[in-house]
Amino acid sequence: MSDVVEKTLTALPSLLSLDSQPGAGKLSVTSKLGSLIRGITELTSKHEEEKLIKKELAAIKEHVSSPNTTLRQMKEIMVRAIYCEMLGFEASFCYIHAIKLAQQGSMFEKRVGYLAVSLFLREGHDLLLLLVNTVLKDLQSTNLIEVCMALTVVSQIFPKDMIPAVLPLVEDKLTHSKEIIRRKAVLALYKFYLMAPNQVQHIHDKFRRALCDKDPGVMTASLHIYLQMIKESPENYKELAGSFVVILKQVVSGKLPADFSYHSVPAPWLQMQLLRILALLGKEDQRTSEIMYEVLDESLRRAEINHNITYAILYECVKTVYTIHPKSELLEKAAKCIGKFVLSPKINLKYLGLKALTYVVQQDPNLALQHQMTIIECLDHPDPIIKRETLELLYRITNAQNVTVIVEKMLDFLRHSRDEYTVIGLVGKVAELAEKYAPDNSWFVQTMNAVFSLGGDAMQPDITNNFLRLLAEGFDNAEEDRQLRLLAVDSYLSLLGGEAASLPQPFLQIISWVLGEYSYLKVGQDPTDVLARLGALLERHDITTETRCWVLAAMGKLCTTDGALRRAREVAHQYSACLDTALRQQAMELELLGQDAPLRHRVLPHDASCEDLEVDSSLSFLDGFVSEALALGAAPYKPPHQRQEELSQHKALNFEPYGPSLPASLSACSLTDRQSPTAMSLSSGISGNSTEQMQKASSNTLKLDGVKKVWGKEGYLPQKEATEEAPPPVASSAPTPSCQQGGAEHTQLAVSSAGEEEQEKRQLAATLFVGLGSQNSLCLMGKPDAAPKRIWRRQRPDQEALDGGSRPPVSSVDDTLDGLFDDAVPDSALLYSLDGPSVPQSCLDGGGEAAGGSLDAGMEPALALSPGDAPGSLLPPALLALPRSDMEALCSDGTLSVCACKVYQRDALLLALFLSNACDLPLEELSCDVTSEEAKVTDGYTTAASISLLAGRGVAVVLHHLVMELPSSQAVVAVRVSYRPGAGAPTQQAVSLSLSLADFIRPLPVSTEEYGRLWLSFSNDVKQNLRLLADSEDPLAATLAALKDKLRLHIVDIIGAEGIVACQLVPGQPCLLHCHAHGGTLTAWLRSPLPTLPDCLLYHCQKAIEES
Amino acid sequence: MKMRFLLLFSRQGKLRLQKWFTPLVERERKKVVRDMTLMVLGRPPRSCNFLHWKDLKVVYKRYASLYFCCGLDDKDNELLALEVLHRYVELLDKYFGNVCELDIIFNFEKAYFILDEFLMGGEVQETSKVTVAKSIEASDMLQETMEEYMSKPAF
């Protein structure tokens, strides 16, 4: 491996032979580790072992801290410490010494030191920072072994923020002459890629060189990175499919050195990796799939040796064949393979066969039919793992005919299963099947009873929620509904009768609710009796407070007879002094509702749990109370943010959370990690207004780094989230006044992003809570303002950016632009249609809400357009004033050509697509569809515009607003245009267009003070050194100007060697940049409320500077 | 194939080697070790080598008195993982010469070094047996020879 080693090896052959007998015998008799291990094995009790290890650790502790301990001894001590840790005893006092050993030791000690570090320290451990220097030194070492060790440790554990420090050195190693170094360097970069993808983005072409490395080991290593990258965006790597196919072909036909064979199968790990990559590339892509059919066929054919590793490859191959665009011949062969697996007597293969069947059965249900007997056998297999996998398969092929059998099998398995995780998963599946395919009502009720009793307390809440909703909402048939409810009531009454059964809490809650709501359906059932049975539940000690609340709520609905009322009163009385507030409230309500029958009928009507209650969310019934209080001199109500604002203006007590700030002693201007840049520029005492800021900053000297934020401006944070998640009780009621001001889009935004499932849940919750009145205090309190609150939170980033609603000074240019836009668009008599509240009526809001609008689609008859043409003539006049990119030709098929132009609107990126008809004949049914995963297109992730007719030689312009909600360094936009030429068949063109993050960056006009305040409120930061543009008088200003040019940033201020810059990612996510120039470098420090934005933006800054 | 963890333990449930490829807090690690030993040791002979644990797939194999056990993602190829374990055993065998549990108990740091050459961050790093053995020996021999060469008493 290394020349040094080789020399040593040849020089000392006799000594080497001593080492050719390794193993236990080699351990010297005097070795302390040896005696420790032997000592432990001789012990019989756990207690004695603990005593011995404690003693050992004490000895180690004494040794490590003694200055006389040599490095050699230290190495031996480390090994013992590792051993103690493995036995489960912490030896944290050794950690620092492990790092020291890696730092100071010569090669042997260093290796043990590195090993100890990688075993002792977890990701994110503070001590890891101390490792950076050692790694740096070793990476630069001329000794190959040291370099190897450093690369190994880097790929095992390394602090994320320090990656930039070692990155250039690791990159260098990609061109090292030894393949082992190159390989390790590639793997280290892979690790970096996983930790912080944006930081290694600039070395993509080096990855490509690694892929073409002459050493197969290095090439294999690079595939890890490619697999990861392709997983993220397969469309970017389609052109590599051919190369991967060629490599696989060579491997399969045995072109690699024999070294790489494993049990005479050529490079199985490499094959596997390639098959996976091909599956990703060929998925839903016929053209790419076609390239790989041949090699897949070959792989299936070649894998014939009877060995596990060939089966592993076969399995992967089958999966690939079923993932890519189908080819019947290959599918047939793959199906045969699956058959071989399933029928194999080897249990591992059978398992894999079942797994493969599960994977493919949706595409090819016949395959399951072929093997039905084997599957039945597997159901009774003694190994529960096989059984479970079989059930998984059955779950996929369930239909209305076989549901009873399959569910029976599943419940059977559940009865014998003890693993909670399995139970929860399977119970969900049974419930789903029962809901979907239940043959009749009584089966459904019985099955759900089984589900609830087997599911236990940890069952997923949506199972119970779905069940209750089903009961409450019913089907179309009223008689059917009545029967189902009655069945449920019957079975629950009998369940409660049998006392022995201790049912899980969720089940008891369901029982209470159903009995409360529907027991009246049972003719001749005395409510007193039902109430008594429920009351018996309360006597039990094993039911939770939450369940008690449900029971009490049910009682409230049942006190229709005197007997029931009496019993209910007793219960209410018993709990009215209860310590738990929710329960006490429930008791109070029970008491009140019992007394006041008309009120009860109003609040808890029969069989109306799904009806919406009218809720006066503006609390107008309190108006009298409020005006009375005001008349008596009470202060008018102010919303919390207003109060906060006033408080900070009055310099009264500070209720703000302590921001991370300067220690008091820091006036000397030494930089600590989280020091605020405002404070820094302030300490040079420039702006007069900001002294106040500094006082504030330096008075809050609590160090809060790493302290979990529990209390924030708005109070207890987790709790707030909880309130937010609690479904608003009246989701379906009309929007409350407080959210109507420009809030319509917001509701839409919130709803559309919440997804359908969420919506369902909410709806269910709504029905539930209406029926139950008020289930607990949280819900009651949340009622009036739950909906506005959600919306208010959505606005928060903007609000924060603009500091509690105070408007930033808007430059006059922007004002004019806004004016232009506002007036011009509706006035322009062109065919631009405007739908939705599209005009960014107030760009001051940071653009967040205006993004919901869309200038949808329009067309304009115009002259033929060539890519070089100025788009100006075709764009709506309102857009002409805005900065825009050059026109870019996207695709053309002779009939229709598509060009694109990016217009940088304040609050969105406007993508203008010019569809020009190159023929004289008109095109019909022209439609244009734009989708993107990273960016949001108008008010959905896709939008389609259709134009019924495009005249010959005409041009249509389609406009799409794009915003980026989650930062990513680039956004790929797929454009699909379809049309029908006058007489011909419909045709489609598809092309993708990649947008950079920079396209979504806009200046954020803030003042220095606002900047300072914002800086403190953002928590995600990244720091890195960039190159300064050296060739001008004022390098800092020149560099910032270059950044401003390229990325449209706003330079807030330049003070001496420091500059502050602000920008926002549309729609309105701020990011602040603080730069400090010294020597030839620019230390850039970015902060934002979004965790990934600084990372992504930094990458673009880097690129912008390199290009300048 | 991304391995989450690799554990070696004896038939008595004594941990012999542990390697974690994804960060876990101490408490979770202990839980994993406890659950693994319980589950794996409780399996009857000649049953399937794959198990489920939470959302992970567990692949284990017994070699003499030692159990080799690793955790992977549900989507990963279990058979391949089984071969990774086998390859590791082969490497240990080549290094120690007919490896037995005692070799690993007393020279566990060597077992770690071999593992580090073979797997890096949970991925198979070197698929060629010869190369792994060579690189281990290269750094190892140097160590041993120099020690002998300097012929100092250990303590």
Side-chain angles (χ1 to χ4, degrees):
Chain A
M1 182 183 143
S2 103
D3 300 341
V4 187
V5 182
E6 275 159 29
K7 266 179 214 153
T8 328
L9 295 186
T10 42
L12 300 161
S14 55
L15 287 174
L16 276 180
S17 62
L18 287 176
D19 277 310
S20 58
Q21 278 296 344
K26 200 167 65 177
L27 206 74
S28 72
V29 194
T30 53
S31 153
K32 287 191 179 169
L33 174 70
S35 45
L36 170 66
I37 294 172
R38 260 180 236 116
I40 287 173
T41 37
E42 278 159 17
L43 297 178
T44 44
S45 78
K46 192 85 193 157
H47 179 67
E48 281 177 303
E49 182 186 304
E50 195 177 323
K51 231 165 60 185
L52 185 69
I53 303 267
K54 288 259 166 76
K55 218 173 85 194
E56 180 73 20
L57 282 174
I60 291 178
K61 197 168 191 171
E62 195 183 320
H63 258 293
V64 288
S65 46
S66 143
N68 298 328
T69 314
T70 63
L71 288 172
R72 276 175 66 84
Q73 289 167 325
M74 194 61 101
K75 172 191 139 203
E76 206 273 344
I77 289 173
M78 275 309 141
V79 175
R80 270 153 58 204
I82 296 174
Y83 190 78
C84 292
E85 281 238 329
M86 183 159 69
L87 292 176
F89 297 87
E90 201 189 86
S92 53
F93 59 87
C94 279
Y95 297 175
I96 184 74
H97 297 284
I99 291 182
K100 244 163 60 188
L101 191 64
Q103 201 162 31
Q104 299 167 347
S106 61
M107 212 131 42
F108 341 125
E109 292 111 27
K110 192 183 268 299
R111 190 155 80 144
V112 173
Y114 273 137
L115 175 69
V117 167
S118 72
L119 290 173
F120 285 157
L121 300 183
R122 314 275 181 272
E123 225 140 289
H125 198 290
D126 289 342
L127 285 179
L128 277 177
L129 285 177
L130 296 178
L131 193 67
V132 176
N133 239 337
T134 314
V135 168
L136 275 176
K137 202 183 81 202
D138 285 338
L139 280 177
Q140 285 161 307
S141 162
T142 50
N143 185 323
L144 292 184
I145 296 182
E146 281 182 355
V147 178
C148 276
M149 285 193 279
L151 286 173
T152 306
V153 84
V154 155
S155 66
Q156 279 169 340
I157 192 159
F158 200 72
K160 185 181 163 190
D161 335 336
M162 284 300 159
I163 291 177
V166 293
L167 194 57
L169 287 173
V170 177
E171 264 181 80
D172 274 353
K173 299 286 177 271
L174 288 176
T175 49
H176 201 275
S177 59
K178 288 280 176 208
E179 66 274 359
I180 186 170
I181 306 271
R182 293 204 299 275
R183 198 183 62 222
K184 281 183 192 265
V186 170
L187 283 166
L189 288 176
Y190 168 61
K191 172 82 177 183
F192 290 166
Y193 182 80
L194 292 179
M195 284 201 289
N198 290 317
Q199 305 209 358
V200 291
Q201 225 155 30
H202 61 286
I203 38 182
H204 275 194
D205 43 322
K206 291 197 179 154
F207 292 157
R208 201 157 286 212
R209 210 175 311 146
L211 182 65
C212 305
D213 199 284
K214 61 180 187 296
D215 180 71
V218 182
M219 188 262 290
T220 311
S222 76
L223 289 183
H224 291 306
I225 302 181
Y226 274 100
L227 182 64
Q228 195 63 32
M229 293 193 299
I230 291 172
K231 217 179 261 168
E232 280 154 22
S233 54
E235 66 281 352
N236 291 352
Y237 299 92
K238 294 280 187 196
E239 83 278 3
L240 282 179
S243 322
F244 290 130
V245 167
V246 172
I247 299 175
L248 184 57
K249 220 175 264 177
Q250 288 177 353
V251 176
V252 172
S253 53
K255 296 264 164 59
L256 284 189
D259 258 16
F260 289 91
S261 293
Y262 174 78
H263 293 265
S264 59
V265 175
W269 279 275
L270 175 56
Q271 286 196 43
M272 209 76 71
Q273 202 81 354
L274 286 166
L275 284 169
R276 262 177 216 171
I277 290 179
L278 290 183
L280 290 172
L281 287 175
K283 194 175 179 186
E284 292 163 8
D285 183 342
Q286 186 176 357
R287 216 167 43 99
T288 315
S289 297
E290 274 163 6
I291 314 176
M292 47 186 96
Y293 289 147
E294 191 192 329
V295 74
L296 289 177
D297 191 54
E298 174 111 4
S299 291
L300 283 175
R301 206 152 38 81
R302 288 251 180 186
E304 60 216 349
I305 314 158
N306 185 14
H307 190 279
N308 267 345
I309 196 76
T310 33
Y311 292 123
I313 295 175
L314 267 184
Y315 174 74
E316 210 60 50
C317 216
V318 166
K319 260 175 85 172
T320 307
V321 167
Y322 271 95
T323 313
I324 62 172
H325 189 87
K327 187 188 184 198
S328 56
E329 220 175 288
L330 275 178
L331 289 179
E332 224 167 84
K333 283 185 186 165
K336 220 178 271 169
C337 272
I338 295 181
K340 249 194 268 174
F341 276 88
V342 176
L343 296 173
S344 165
K346 285 188 188 161
I347 189 164
N348 288 345
L349 293 188
K350 202 179 269 293
Y351 174 88
L352 232 56
L354 289 169
K355 203 174 147 184
L357 257 178
T358 314
Y359 185 76
V360 306
V361 81
Q362 266 148 346
Q363 287 183 47
D364 193 358
N366 283 331
L367 212 51
L369 277 182
Q370 278 174 31
H371 299 294
Q372 48 182 323
M373 286 327 288
T374 324
I375 295 172
I376 303 283
E377 275 165 30
C378 288
L379 263 182
D380 295 322
H381 202 280
D383 194 335
I385 304 298
I386 298 280
K387 259 194 211 171
R388 193 189 138 165
E389 208 56 40
T390 317
L391 290 177
E392 184 73 41
L393 170 62
L394 289 179
Y395 163 71
R396 305 275 172 118
I397 55 169
T398 309
N399 55 39
Q401 280 94 49
N402 58 15
V403 65
T404 43
V405 193
I406 290 180
V407 164
E408 191 48 52
K409 289 283 177 196
M410 285 174 142
L411 290 176
D412 235 26
F413 181 82
L414 274 173
R415 284 188 193 106
H416 296 111
S417 180
R418 271 160 302 143
D419 176 40
E420 194 179 75
Y421 204 83
T422 317
V423 169
I424 292 175
L426 207 53
V427 152
K429 283 175 181 155
V430 175
E432 189 195 325
L433 293 179
E435 263 178 43
K436 250 197 225 163
Y437 302 113
D440 59 65
N441 282 334
S442 78
W443 182 87
F444 180 63
V445 171
Q446 289 306 325
T447 306
M448 288 316 278
N449 282 354
V451 163
F452 294 136
S453 2
L454 290 169
D457 297 340
M459 197 168 45
Q460 264 158 4
D462 44 323
I463 299 180
T464 50
N465 288 352
N466 278 338
F467 177 71
L468 289 184
R469 184 188 52 173
L470 230 134
L471 274 186
E473 286 182 346
F475 312 96
D476 300 331
N477 186 339
E479 177 52 33
E480 192 94 318
D481 293 347
R482 207 188 62 82
Q483 195 202 355
L484 178 62
R485 290 168 188 163
L486 197 56
L487 275 167
V489 169
D490 267 342
S491 87
Y492 295 162
L493 279 175
S494 63
L495 269 176
L496 283 188
E499 289 156 39
S502 70
L503 301 170
Q505 303 298 320
F507 196 16
L508 289 176
Q509 292 165 10
I510 287 184
I511 291 179
S512 327
W513 190 82
V514 171
L515 290 183
E517 199 70 29
Y518 296 117
S519 63
Y520 73 92
L521 287 173
K522 188 169 176 181
V523 184
Q525 176 69 47
D526 182 6
T528 323
D529 176 43
V530 180
L531 208 124
R533 286 190 193 193
L534 286 174
L537 275 183
L538 292 175
E539 311 287 314
R540 280 168 42 182
H541 295 291
D542 55 348
I543 76 169
T544 61
T545 320
E546 198 195 347
T547 311
R548 280 174 211 273
C549 284
W550 284 77
V551 172
L552 257 58
M555 286 180 162
K557 300 172 196 163
L558 288 169
C559 32
T560 45
T561 61
D562 285 342
L565 194 59
R566 219 173 307 123
R567 177 82 179 101
R569 273 214 196 116
E570 274 168 37
V571 172
H573 186 71
Q574 183 190 345
Y575 285 101
S576 58
C578 168
L579 279 182
D580 186 279
T581 33
L583 193 52
R584 193 161 71 214
Q585 183 186 341
Q586 210 55 257
M588 294 300 189
E589 283 174 17
L590 178 59
E591 184 148 17
L592 275 176
L593 291 177
Q595 283 164 2
D596 192 343
L599 178 65
R600 186 175 67 240
H601 287 302
R602 248 182 71 205
V603 180
L604 303 167
H606 266 303
D607 191 19
S609 55
C610 303
E611 313 298 318
D612 290 330
L613 277 188
E614 289 264 331
V615 173
D616 182 4
S617 54
S618 65
L619 304 182
S620 61
F621 56 89
L622 286 176
D623 284 352
F625 174 77
V626 171
S627 56
E628 205 172 296
L630 285 175
L632 287 175
Y637 174 75
K638 286 175 194 154
H641 64 89
Q642 197 183 341
R643 263 176 285 166
Q644 202 88 63
E645 183 88 342
E646 281 171 16
L647 273 176
S648 58
Q649 272 168 12
H650 288 146
K651 278 201 249 170
L653 278 176
N654 180 17
F655 286 110
E656 302 242 317
Y658 291 123
S661 58
L662 293 167
S665 62
L666 214 100
S667 46
C669 204
S670 67
L671 301 186
T672 59
D673 188 23
R674 294 185 67 89
Q675 183 190 358
S676 100
T678 2
M680 199 151 45
S681 46
L682 292 170
S683 56
S684 38
I686 290 189
S687 90
N689 204 356
S690 42
T691 9
E692 159 195 334
Q693 270 270 305
M694 180 166 72
Q695 275 165 359
K696 201 170 141 197
S698 52
S699 60
N700 305 338
T701 51
L702 264 183
K703 283 283 258 180
L704 285 171
D705 301 8
V707 177
K708 215 175 128 197
K709 239 180 132 184
V710 181
W711 293 91
K713 281 183 188 174
E714 287 81 27
Y716 186 56
L717 295 175
Q719 196 181 13
K720 202 184 67 181
E721 249 141 56
T723 353
E724 188 215 10
E725 267 162 34
V730 217
S732 49
S733 69
T736 53
S738 54
C739 75
Q740 261 167 353
Q741 19 155 320
E745 303 115 284
H746 278 297
T747 343
Q748 210 173 5
L749 264 178
V751 171
S752 72
S753 66
E756 243 180 66
E757 195 186 330
E758 185 70 3
Q759 221 174 338
E760 268 174 26
K761 271 192 215 159
R762 276 204 204 118
Q763 210 179 341
L764 165 68
T767 53
L768 249 182
F769 286 116
V770 171
L772 288 177
S774 40
Q775 200 43 247
N776 54 38
S777 59
L778 179 83
C779 163
L780 243 194
M781 313 260 294
K783 220 172 227 180
D785 61 359
K789 188 177 235 161
R790 187 157 38 85
I791 284 151
W792 176 75
R793 263 182 67 85
R794 283 228 142 223
Q795 279 176 327
R796 259 196 66 201
D798 311 354
Q799 254 175 15
E800 223 165 36
L802 305 180
D803 196 45
S806 77
R807 296 178 160 197
V810 179
S811 71
S812 55
V813 182
D814 289 320
D815 273 336
T816 13
L817 285 187
D818 289 342
L820 248 180
F821 198 93
D822 275 338
D823 302 334
V825 173
D827 284 350
S828 64
L830 298 169
L831 290 171
Y832 286 92
S833 66
L834 209 100
D835 79 24
S838 85
V839 186
Q841 67 283 65
S842 66
C843 290
L844 300 171
D845 293 346
E849 51 229 81
S854 66
L855 259 177
D856 215 349
M859 61 166 192
E860 183 186 13
L863 294 172
L865 175 88
S866 67
D869 272 0
S873 55
L874 293 165
L875 283 171
L879 300 178
L880 291 178
L882 296 172
R884 58 170 182 261
S885 73
D886 291 337
M887 187 85 103
E888 184 189 348
L890 290 183
C891 60
S892 167
D893 62 353
T895 316
L896 183 80
S897 62
V898 182
C899 302
C901 167
K902 295 177 264 189
V903 182
Y904 303 107
Q905 263 182 355
R906 249 200 85 149
D907 54 355
L909 178 70
L910 187 69
L911 185 67
L913 295 173
F914 299 86
L915 315 173
S916 47
N917 186 354
C919 311
D920 296 324
L921 297 169
L923 298 178
E924 286 174 27
E925 290 166 27
L926 184 64
S927 80
C928 174
D929 184 24
V930 170
T931 52
S932 172
E933 285 193 6
E934 295 89 352
K936 191 170 158 185
V937 185
T938 55
D939 43 358
Y941 278 83
T942 65
T943 174
S946 7
I947 300 148
S948 53
L949 189 83
L950 179 60
R953 302 276 163 201
V955 178
V957 186
V958 184
L959 301 175
H960 292 280
H961 279 87
L962 287 120
V963 293
M964 190 179 257
E965 286 184 330
L966 288 176
S968 99
S969 63
Q970 66 161 350
V972 177
V973 177
V975 178
R976 201 171 300 127
V977 181
S978 63
Y979 63 90
R980 195 162 63 79
T987 318
Q988 208 180 53
Q989 285 189 56
V991 66
S992 67
L993 170 77
S994 93
L995 301 173
S996 124
L997 175 85
D999 290 327
F1000 295 90
I1001 295 290
R1002 301 288 177 272
L1004 178 70
V1006 289
S1007 69
T1008 312
E1009 290 150 48
E1010 278 165 342
Y1011 181 94
R1013 238 173 300 157
L1014 286 178
W1015 181 268
L1016 289 177
S1017 62
F1018 298 161
S1019 51
N1020 301 295
D1021 63 357
V1022 167
K1023 201 172 180 180
Q1024 195 173 334
N1025 286 341
L1026 302 174
R1027 194 167 56 85
L1028 259 184
L1029 295 177
D1031 46 352
S1032 70
E1033 287 168 28
D1034 187 351
L1036 177 64
T1039 313
L1040 290 186
L1043 284 179
K1044 182 187 173 183
D1045 257 18
K1046 290 241 157 64
L1047 297 173
R1048 284 173 292 279
L1049 309 175
H1050 170 73
I1051 301 178
V1052 182
D1053 208 348
I1054 298 182
I1055 309 160
E1058 286 166 22
I1060 51 179
V1061 177
C1063 66
Q1064 55 178 326
L1065 175 73
V1066 290
Q1069 294 292 356
C1071 184
L1072 305 181
L1073 171 67
H1074 171 250
C1075 312
H1076 181 83
H1078 53 88
T1081 55
L1082 181 74
T1083 308
W1085 191 3
L1086 286 96
R1087 275 197 183 183
S1088 166
L1090 290 185
T1092 45
L1093 184 55
D1095 232 13
C1096 297
L1097 189 65
L1098 188 62
Y1099 164 66
H1100 283 281
C1101 291
Q1102 211 171 357
K1103 226 170 71 174
I1105 291 182
E1106 257 155 43
E1107 281 167 9
S1108 306
Chain B
M1 196 201 62
K2 178 108 172 94
M3 210 180 259
R4 303 298 192 84
F5 57 81
L6 174 72
L7 303 176
L8 266 64
F9 46 85
S10 69
R11 255 192 309 176
Q12 290 77 36
K14 282 247 185 296
L15 194 61
R16 296 300 181 208
L17 186 141
Q18 54 172 342
K19 188 88 193 174
W20 305 88
F21 299 110
T22 39
L24 278 181
V25 295
E26 197 55 44
R27 203 160 35 85
E28 284 173 56
R29 286 190 179 186
K30 286 204 166 134
K31 183 169 167 46
V32 172
V33 173
R34 202 179 46 239
D35 286 4
M36 286 308 124
T37 43
L38 275 178
M39 272 168 64
V40 170
L41 295 176
R43 299 275 293 164
R46 273 184 302 283
S47 45
C48 189
N49 291 72
F50 316 133
L51 288 168
H52 294 268
W53 185 81
K54 300 215 166 159
D55 56 341
L56 292 187
K57 196 60 70 66
V58 174
V59 174
Y60 74 93
K61 185 151 188 188
R62 182 177 155 181
Y63 289 91
S65 57
L66 260 193
Y67 283 91
F68 288 66
C69 164
C70 65
L72 8 143
D73 275 337
D74 194 38
K75 283 194 199 109
D76 273 326
N77 190 324
E78 295 90 347
L79 270 186
L80 190 68
L82 211 51
E83 292 312 298
V84 170
L85 295 182
H86 188 71
R87 169 49 65 100
Y88 182 45
V89 175
E90 283 181 352
L91 288 170
L92 290 171
D93 208 50
K94 191 172 165 72
Y95 178 80
F96 287 108
N98 205 0
V99 66
C100 67
E101 190 185 342
L102 280 182
D103 290 325
I104 294 173
I105 299 178
F106 284 99
N107 298 291
F108 64 89
E109 83 274 20
K110 304 268 165 51
Y112 276 118
F113 291 143
I114 295 171
L115 186 63
D116 283 347
E117 282 307 311
F118 174 47
L119 295 176
M120 217 162 160
E123 304 275 4
V124 173
Q125 173 195 179
E126 181 51 73
T127 56
S128 148
K129 185 153 69 172
V130 185
T131 322
V132 179
K134 249 200 309 209
S135 69
I136 293 287
E137 265 160 39
S139 40
D140 208 47
M141 288 303 185
L142 177 74
Q143 171 170 355
E144 303 296 332
T145 13
M146 290 290 279
E147 269 172 29
E148 299 284 351
Y149 194 62
M150 291 154 88
S151 65
K152 279 180 187 162
F155 285 95

